[in-house]
Amino acid sequence: MADHDRLAILGAGVMGETVLSGLLRAGWDVGRIVATDRRPAREAELKDRYGVRMLTNLDAVAEADTVILVVKPQDMRDLLTEIRPAVRADTLIVSLAAGVETILIEDLLPEGVPVVRVMPNTPAQVDEGMAAVSAGRHAGDDHVGRVRDILSATGRVLTVPEGYQDAVTAISGTGPAYLFFVVEAMIEAGVHLGLPRDTATELVVQTMLGSAKLLRETGEHPTVLRERVTSPGGTTASAVRELEQHSVRAAFMSAMEAARDRSRELAAAAREAAAQQNDQGGSG
């Protein structure tokens, strides 16, 4: 990004702080960033920790070239209504809210304002995040590039059509929870097999980390890597047979379909709420 670009992060909760801290680790000058939070204690905490200026939402937007919205989906309409007077035609709006489509954001902002939608995930806290970026109707390649530059400070970034975002939410957005669930189950199994909990935890976490790195660096298909570990009639073959008999593969598919469907439901609810508000406004 150019040196003159200024960034506002509206909603400095966990993910907002993750973006902020990632940018600072990547070498951004804290003077180029402002943030907001509705909790005074949180504002004081972030000031002390990073030296970032904490402003009101309107003042933050008025100063910024790029505005990142990190709020719950149900809070998005109120936030957009609040900041609309301060949004300029060239202000880039970046939404990290799950299930909120760019068209709904665009409709609540001045005509032609560029909007980019992002689905991040929590490993961004350790600079190993996976973010999927989608452009709205008025966002061009330069806007998408600007967002990619910001998010690359916290991990990897893909550009995808917005129609993929529900599936992205189910895979990478929600994905860390699936892996934590598996890790939790493996640790409990280790304890059940007689290992001390700290030993089981070290074994499982390093195995998970090493396996992911092996998958990334070799470029091999996961089936190939799994088969290399699985000797005929051996311990791994016995374990995998149990997983297949308990339909673990099908359970993961069902879980991801449920996450995708919930993302669709959130989007539908947001559209319905917008339609109702427009109807009320029209009848008034």
Side-chain angles (χ1 to χ4, degrees):
M1 295 182 71
D3 289 340
H4 67 273
D5 283 328
R6 298 158 298 171
L7 179 70
I9 301 172
L10 308 192
V14 172
M15 189 54 67
E17 182 180 0
T18 296
V19 174
L20 169 62
S21 62
L23 290 172
L24 296 181
R25 287 192 299 274
W28 273 55
D29 182 347
V30 71
R32 293 170 58 194
I33 307 172
V34 296
T36 75
D37 197 273
R38 55 189 176 188
R39 299 161 294 175
R42 179 64 171 165
E43 288 189 339
E45 178 184 358
L46 293 171
K47 282 181 185 178
D48 291 342
R49 185 175 298 164
Y50 302 107
V52 66
R53 285 191 302 138
M54 304 298 296
L55 304 177
T56 66
N57 288 329
L58 275 174
D59 288 343
V61 173
E63 286 199 14
D65 302 295
T66 303
V67 177
I68 301 182
L69 311 179
V70 198
V71 296
K72 296 177 180 177
Q74 60 267 31
D75 296 332
M76 182 64 77
R77 174 175 288 274
D78 289 343
L79 177 61
L80 292 172
T81 301
E82 177 187 355
I83 68 173
R84 178 186 169 98
V87 176
R88 304 180 304 277
D90 62 347
T91 303
L92 172 57
I93 301 295
V94 183
S95 169
L96 271 61
V100 180
E101 297 167 320
T102 55
I103 190 170
L104 294 180
I105 298 172
E106 292 163 349
D107 286 347
L108 290 168
L109 293 172
E111 178 64 29
V113 170
V115 176
V116 174
R117 177 179 172 184
V118 177
M119 173 48 62
N121 66 11
T122 55
Q125 295 175 41
V126 291
D127 299 340
E128 291 293 349
M130 183 68 254
V133 176
S134 301
R137 292 175 296 179
H138 310 300
D141 291 343
D142 56 333
H143 299 115
V144 172
R146 196 190 309 180
V147 175
R148 290 181 63 100
D149 286 344
I150 293 169
L151 295 174
S152 64
T154 59
R156 292 176 178 261
V157 187
L158 285 177
T159 302
V160 301
E162 188 170 7
Y164 289 0
Q165 283 286 4
D166 293 321
V168 168
T169 299
I171 300 297
S172 62
T174 312
Y178 313 148
L179 297 181
F180 297 146
F181 189 91
V182 170
V183 167
E184 182 183 2
M186 290 176 68
I187 291 171
E188 291 302 322
V191 172
H192 178 74
L193 293 173
L195 294 173
R197 183 170 295 275
D198 59 346
T199 300
T201 299
E202 179 70 16
L203 290 170
V204 173
V205 172
Q206 181 58 33
T207 298
M208 186 72 71
L209 177 63
S211 299
K213 188 172 182 180
L214 183 65
L215 188 62
R216 163 76 67 188
E217 295 190 0
T218 64
E220 297 274 18
H221 193 281
T223 301
V224 173
L225 293 176
R226 177 174 59 79
E227 289 176 346
R228 286 180 185 163
V229 184
T230 310
S231 301
T235 58
T236 306
S238 295
V240 171
R241 184 179 66 248
E242 287 294 317
L243 292 174
E244 295 290 8
Q245 288 178 351
H246 285 82
S247 302
V248 171
R249 193 186 303 266
F252 270 102
M253 177 62 75
S254 296
M256 294 183 190
E257 287 177 342
R260 177 206 59 195
D261 293 346
R262 181 55 180 157
S263 181
R264 288 176 175 173
E265 289 171 3
L266 289 171
R271 286 194 299 269
E272 183 177 349
Q276 289 177 351
Q277 192 139 359
N278 289 337
D279 289 344
Q280 290 170 0
S283 63

